[in-house]
Amino acid sequence: MLLVTAVDGPSTAEVGSVARYTATAFNQPAPSESDLALINWEVRCDGVRVARAMNAGPRFDFSITPEYAGRTLIVMPFANSPTERVSVTTRIAGAQQKIDRPAEVTLRIDGQRYFAQVNGGAEFFVGSDVSYQQRRGLMNTTPGTNVFAPQDYREQFGFWADVITPTAICESQGSFHCLNTYDRAAFTFGFYQEAAHEPDENFVLLLRRFLLLPEAAFYFPDLTLAGGHVAQKTPDGTVQIEDRSSSEALMNYLNPDADKVGEQEAEIAAKFVHWAENSADNRATQVVFTIEQQRQKFADYARRYDLDGAEDSVCIVVADIRHQGRAKSSVIEQALAASDPLNSLLEIGADNYPERIRTLRNEIGRMTEEGILGHHSYSLTNRDFVLD
């Protein structure tokens, strides 16, 4: 296996520039072009992963956008796992944006419906108070002005913008501010419905990305990053509220009342809804994060379920099952061994989740009829979909 042993890149960069990084030395004297093409790259900002490019090759260009001003990037080429032993540290010139007046939320409750204003601005819908088993919380499944549409992202992400579409429609109808605080996850947010209960995964990782955005200080001046983890500023100092083993403290911050909709829960929900509706950076972060995560997960699923060479729609349904968690691996494997794997996979969960399965079937059918699906298969070697 080809390994990178040295990398070159700028020690400083300006906002608005494109920084180029090059793998310059390897564990083999004359690596082939095909081996070089398999080099991956990861970028971390203040300890938080902000980009991962798989099979990008020996050169990697990274755009320096305003949220990185005054921060430090670590850029690492890798084969299996990135390491700072082979990396470049780039300090970005400029000062981090200062917020003079943080967001202040005013709530209004109309029956079971919560509305809010931020700093006296226009009123907007936050969510409805709903019950689920022994819990209560907010739910907002009403799409706003901006919704995920794959055609808006194909130029940047190619076919992957379509790959995530069926699950995005099932989860949120594409709504970037889709919200759920009523189940055991305590807080689930975004067009792909990332949940907060799994440490070092999903919403926890997304929130770390959000906190790098300039608007983070406006919406959440009491949150910061410490060692790449989410931390809360308190009168007694900065306290880390999530780590690799637990996100319980973060869940308690987001939603401290499991049996009712509390004021803190409603205000935090309002901030996230307002942020998603009013910030293109927030929405772009959601899409970049989702595609990056799903690319990694599809590679994992391909290894786990022998999906190398499988058709695009089969891979998408497997990923949707795993994303919702509606079946064990043994059930997925049994469906994949059937004479009609796609239809067998689409039967999983039909009794318990009929609306989701109906939506998923409709999206797969529509995209197949339009010629979007049915022409790609997954390549584990490339960690990507390739044209048949």
Side-chain angles (χ1 to χ4, degrees):
M1 174 183 293
L2 180 67
L3 300 177
V4 181
T5 58
V7 58
D8 184 49
S11 59
T12 61
E14 300 280 343
V15 170
S17 66
V18 176
R20 168 162 288 189
Y21 301 88
T22 305
T24 56
F26 311 93
N27 64 331
Q28 300 174 13
S32 66
E33 290 297 320
S34 59
D35 283 341
L36 290 171
L38 297 177
I39 295 173
N40 311 307
W41 295 82
E42 180 167 302
V43 182
R44 296 176 187 169
C45 178
D46 292 353
V48 176
R49 188 176 78 189
V50 294
R52 175 172 278 195
M54 308 303 290
N55 299 345
R59 282 177 293 279
F60 175 65
D61 291 339
F62 187 73
S63 297
I64 309 300
T65 49
E67 64 262 33
Y68 302 125
R71 299 182 182 272
T72 299
L73 303 178
I74 297 177
V75 182
M76 297 163 284
F78 68 98
N80 286 325
S81 299
T83 172
E84 293 186 18
R85 291 193 299 272
V86 183
S87 67
V88 173
T89 298
T90 304
R91 291 175 175 80
I92 309 305
Q96 296 181 32
Q97 180 176 336
K98 301 297 183 183
I99 302 296
D100 295 327
R101 183 190 177 195
E104 295 181 2
V105 175
T106 303
L107 295 170
R108 180 174 71 85
I109 305 172
D110 182 4
Q112 301 300 106
R113 293 166 61 84
Y114 279 68
F115 298 85
Q117 294 174 288
V118 172
N119 289 355
E123 186 176 80
F124 59 94
F125 175 61
V126 178
S128 296
D129 183 343
V130 299
S131 61
Y132 179 74
Q133 297 176 351
Q134 303 302 313
R135 302 179 64 97
R136 296 196 69 86
L138 292 171
M139 178 179 71
N140 184 339
T141 58
T142 304
T145 304
N146 298 285
V147 296
F148 173 78
Q151 61 269 24
D152 295 338
Y153 300 95
R154 285 188 189 126
E155 182 177 355
Q156 183 177 2
F157 297 110
F159 184 57
W160 281 97
D162 297 298
V163 169
I164 67 171
T165 296
T167 295
I169 297 302
C170 288
E171 289 287 351
S172 68
Q173 302 178 65
S175 172
F176 286 106
H177 68 228
C178 189
L179 174 75
N180 157 17
T181 70
Y182 57 76
D183 64 17
R184 68 186 182 91
F187 199 90
T188 304
F189 184 74
F191 85 111
Y192 222 70
Q193 285 294 272
E194 305 290 355
H197 65 300
E198 295 187 16
D200 222 25
E201 292 285 349
N202 305 325
F203 182 77
V204 177
L205 298 180
L206 179 59
L207 179 57
R208 294 175 191 168
R209 299 278 189 95
F210 281 157
L211 292 178
L212 290 171
L213 296 177
E215 303 103 324
F218 173 71
Y219 288 101
F220 295 99
D222 59 331
L223 294 184
T224 188
L225 291 166
H229 294 275
V230 180
Q232 183 180 9
K233 301 173 186 175
T234 75
D236 296 323
T238 299
V239 179
Q240 187 173 310
I241 55 175
E242 55 85 10
D243 56 32
R244 292 184 177 181
S245 62
S246 176
S247 60
E248 184 176 358
L250 173 61
M251 293 165 64
N252 290 335
Y253 168 86
L254 297 166
N255 183 359
D257 304 301
D259 58 351
K260 66 178 181 179
V261 177
E263 183 177 4
Q264 181 171 322
E265 172 186 352
E267 289 184 357
I268 286 175
K271 290 179 180 181
F272 276 108
V273 170
H274 189 273
W275 195 357
E277 274 299 294
N278 290 276
S279 169
D281 286 343
N282 180 291
R283 299 189 294 273
T285 297
Q286 290 191 45
V287 176
V288 170
F289 173 80
T290 297
I291 290 178
E292 180 184 299
Q293 291 293 104
Q294 291 307 305
R295 289 191 68 145
Q296 180 61 54
K297 290 180 179 182
F298 270 68
D300 294 340
Y301 301 152
R303 286 187 287 267
R304 176 66 179 82
Y305 303 113
D306 193 22
L307 295 177
D308 191 21
E311 63 180 277
D312 45 25
S313 54
V314 167
C315 297
I316 289 169
V317 178
V318 169
D320 185 79
I321 294 169
R322 288 295 304 267
H323 185 75
Q324 190 193 16
R326 62 180 176 269
K328 296 180 179 180
S329 286
S330 59
V331 177
I332 296 173
E333 290 166 344
Q334 184 177 2
L336 287 169
S339 58
D340 185 351
L342 177 60
N343 191 58
S344 296
L345 288 165
L346 286 168
E347 289 295 328
I348 295 174
D351 292 337
N352 294 327
Y353 309 100
E355 183 177 349
R356 186 188 186 96
I357 300 304
R358 184 165 52 250
T359 300
L360 185 59
R361 278 189 179 275
N362 289 342
E363 282 300 303
I364 295 291
R366 175 189 65 79
M367 295 174 70
T368 301
E369 289 179 6
E370 293 177 3
I372 298 170
L373 297 180
H375 302 287
H376 294 79
S377 57
Y378 190 80
S379 167
L380 189 53
T381 299
N382 295 317
R383 298 186 187 182
D384 203 351
F385 285 94
V386 296
L387 281 169
D388 294 335

